Structure formats: C-alpha cells, structure tokens
C-alpha cells in the first residue's frame, strides 16, 4: 500500500490561484449577467448568490485534495492552529490575491468590459462592517467545525450553504474574504467595491476570523491540531 504524497508548494499555490480566480470570475461575472437580464435587485442578488454557492461546491470538491482555502483569513487561521507553516501560508496568500485579481479581469473581458475599471460602489458604514465580522466569523466556524468533526467531505456544501445564506442575511452581502474583496475593486459592476471601502472591510474580516479562532479554541480545547483543509 503506497503512502500518500503531499502536494508540492507549487501545486498548492497553483490550486489557490486558479480556485480564487474562478471564484471571483463567478462572483463578478454572475453579477454582470444578472444586471443584464433583469432590473430587479432582489433577482440580481439571488442570481449572484446561487452562482457563487454553486461555484464554491465545485471548486472546493475538485481542488480540496491539493489546496482549497481561496481565502487569506482561512489560511491565517490555519497558521494560528499550527496546521500550516507561515512560510507556506505566505505563498498561498499571494496566490489567492493574484488569482482574485486575474478572476476579476477575466470576468470583465468575458462580458466585453474594460479589463480593469476601478469600482465606484462605496460600501461603508457601521452596519456593513458588522456584517463582515459576522459573515467571516460564521465562515471560519463552519469550515473548522467540519474539520474538527472529521467531516472534511462536507466542507464544500457547508461553505456554499453559509455563503448563499450570508449574501441575504448580512448587511454587507458577505464578502468574507480579503482576496475577493481586493479583486472586486477591479470591476465597476454589480459586485464591485470602491478601493476606499476595502481597508475597513478587510479589517473587519480579520476581526471576524480572530473571534472565530477564539470560539474554536473554546469549543475544541484539544492539544492536537486539526487536519488542514487545503491539502
């Protein structure tokens, strides 16, 4: 019986880049498509959320054997839980940010928009910032709760379920991901966010991740680290 060979750093970074790119292409592209098909904002959000959830299931299931975090907050929590070395995490976060930017450009090009157009959609205010804390807190709890329950096979469905729900019940429509947030500045479309709104969104996402880490340690006070979710 042959031993399982761990994915190389290049393979893991590539999986993170490709996965995050396709995720952002889905978020931005489905937003553009929705606004071209209907003027009803509720239907636009429904289309955007369902497409994002479906893409998450497909991408996590297919790339999880290599690496499927697609989110710097998730990767940083893995470092804090000592399941991922900081050096590896740094490469993966760079891949996530670069992949996200490529995904936004790809979506723009697919819909014959300028490859890069900075968003003018301001998203600011206490309510939206609290929404990002809640969205990211829930996302991290869902992911690592599945890991601690030895249900890594359920992560794709659980994450998709949380994100689709959080599109609707959080005031911010659940960005919950610094790489995706940065990428969405590059498209002045339905899913866009102005560059000026990004710093507080990212800060609140990090706060949400930090709170989730504390809750996880309270709920699962085990000395042995959980299994990594991304390879």
């Amino acid at each position: 019986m042959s031993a399982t060979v761990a994915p190389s750093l290049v393979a893991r970074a590539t999986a993170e880049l490709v996965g995050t790119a396709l995720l952002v292409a889905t978020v931005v592209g489905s937003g553009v498509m929705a606004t071209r098909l209907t003027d009803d904002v509720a239907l636009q959000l429904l289309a955007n959320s369902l497409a994002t959830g479906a893409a998450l299931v497909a991408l996590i299931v297919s790339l999880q054997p290599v690496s499927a975090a697609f989110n710097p907050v998730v990767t940083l929590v893995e470092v804090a839980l000592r399941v991922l070395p900081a050096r590896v995490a740094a490469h993966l976060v760079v891949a996530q940010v670069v992949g996200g930017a490529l995904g936004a450009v790809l979506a723009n090009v697919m819909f014959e928009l300028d490859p890069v157009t900075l968003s003018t959609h301001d998203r600011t205010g206490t309510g939206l910032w609290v929404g990002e804390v809640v969205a990211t807190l829930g996302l991290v709890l869902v992911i690592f709760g599945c890991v601690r329950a030895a249900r890594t096979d359920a992560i794709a469905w659980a994450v998709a379920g949380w994100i689709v729900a959080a599109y609707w019940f959080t005031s911010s429509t659940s960005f919950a991901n610094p790489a995706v947030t940065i990428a969405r500045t590059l498209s002045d479309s339905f899913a866009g966010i102005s560059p000026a709104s990004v710093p507080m969104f990212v800060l609140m996402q990090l706060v949400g991740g930090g709170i989730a880490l504390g809750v996880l340690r309270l709920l699962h006070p085990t000395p042995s680290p959980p299994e990594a979710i991304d390879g």
Side-chain angles (χ1 to χ4, degrees):
M1 186 174 181
S2 60
T4 302
V5 178
S8 68
L9 178 57
V10 171
R12 297 175 78 171
T14 300
E16 289 293 335
L17 186 149
V18 171
T20 311
L22 292 176
L23 174 59
V24 172
T26 300
V27 173
V28 174
S30 63
V32 175
M33 178 67 83
T35 57
R36 291 186 179 182
L37 293 176
T38 179
D39 293 326
D40 188 319
V41 178
L43 287 178
Q44 292 169 357
L45 185 61
L46 179 63
N48 199 204
S49 62
L50 292 179
T52 301
L56 278 167
V57 172
L59 291 171
I60 294 173
V61 167
S62 59
L63 294 176
Q64 192 175 18
V66 181
S67 189
F70 316 143
N71 188 331
V73 172
V74 174
T75 300
L76 290 174
V77 170
E78 289 186 285
V79 173
L81 292 175
R82 299 181 181 179
V83 298
L84 192 67
R87 180 186 66 83
V88 173
H91 287 86
L92 299 186
V93 168
V94 170
Q96 290 158 357
V97 173
V98 172
L102 292 175
V105 172
L106 177 61
N108 288 336
V109 171
M110 283 195 295
F111 287 93
E112 299 185 348
L113 303 173
D114 291 338
V116 175
T117 305
L118 292 182
S119 176
T120 57
H121 190 171
D122 290 327
R123 300 177 189 259
T124 186
T126 303
L128 270 65
W129 299 333
V130 172
E132 277 303 285
V133 173
V134 172
T136 312
L137 165 65
L139 177 63
V140 173
L141 288 179
V142 164
I143 292 172
F144 290 95
C146 287
V147 172
R148 289 297 178 103
R151 288 296 310 279
T152 55
D153 59 312
I155 289 177
W157 303 99
V159 167
W162 173 260
I163 291 297
V164 171
Y167 257 80
W168 287 91
F169 85 84
T170 64
S171 54
S172 63
T173 66
S174 184
F175 282 51
N177 184 328
V180 171
T181 303
I182 293 168
R184 287 169 67 166
T185 66
L186 304 178
S187 181
D188 193 18
S189 59
F190 179 80
I193 179 173
S194 66
S197 299
V198 168
M200 280 302 292
F201 260 57
V202 171
L203 177 59
M204 293 302 102
Q205 290 158 1
L206 292 172
V207 168
I211 295 172
L213 179 61
V215 174
L216 283 167
R217 284 176 166 161
L218 178 64
L219 296 178
H220 305 283
T222 172
S224 58
E227 178 185 350
I229 67 165
D230 52 0

